[in-house]
Amino acid sequence: MHMVNKSPLDDPENAAYAWARYRRIMRLLMMVTVGVVLIALALLYKYNGAISVHFYIAVALGISFTMLLGGGLMGLVFLSNGTGHDESVDNKLPDPDDLWGRKDDD
């Protein structure tokens, strides 16, 4: 049995820097999302006029949810890769014969 590799995120200073960077990315993404939603709503109003308020709410929520969820997940990927956490993961699979308990009878 071998020891689990330590993640760079186990270091409090490293983790604080990484999470601060993640929050900075998310703040930027939130500002971009608000801008995109405002532009989309303005274009919809310009070309379609006054439609039901529920339509505009649905569009705003749909764009916001999609951008923030996608951006948040990508930000976590950047956090994991940028800190070296990915390299610390032990991803070695066991030998299939050991896994299933088979022995070759040749």
Side-chain angles (χ1 to χ4, degrees):
M1 192 165 272
H2 65 284
M3 298 291 293
V4 175
N5 298 335
K6 286 194 79 83
S7 168
L9 289 174
D10 290 338
D11 176 28
E13 186 176 318
N14 235 2
Y17 174 77
W19 285 110
R21 182 174 168 232
Y22 178 75
R23 284 190 295 275
R24 192 169 51 246
I25 290 170
M26 289 305 295
R27 275 194 299 273
L28 176 63
L29 179 64
M30 184 63 171
M31 289 188 293
V32 170
T33 300
V34 168
V36 168
V37 167
L38 290 176
I39 290 169
L41 293 177
L43 288 172
L44 284 170
Y45 184 76
K46 179 181 178 183
Y47 290 109
N48 296 316
I51 310 174
S52 170
V53 70
H54 298 100
F55 175 75
Y56 291 108
I57 292 170
V59 167
L61 289 176
I63 292 172
S64 299
F65 180 75
T66 302
M67 287 185 67
L68 292 174
L69 179 65
L73 292 174
M74 282 195 305
L76 289 174
V77 169
F78 296 151
L79 180 138
S80 179
N81 186 39
T83 59
H85 179 72
D86 290 350
E87 287 82 26
S88 69
V89 174
D90 180 14
N91 201 18
K92 296 179 190 99
L93 295 174
D95 185 24
D97 292 333
D98 293 339
L99 186 63
W100 297 103
R102 294 181 300 187
K103 296 190 180 174
D104 290 336
D105 294 329
D106 290 326

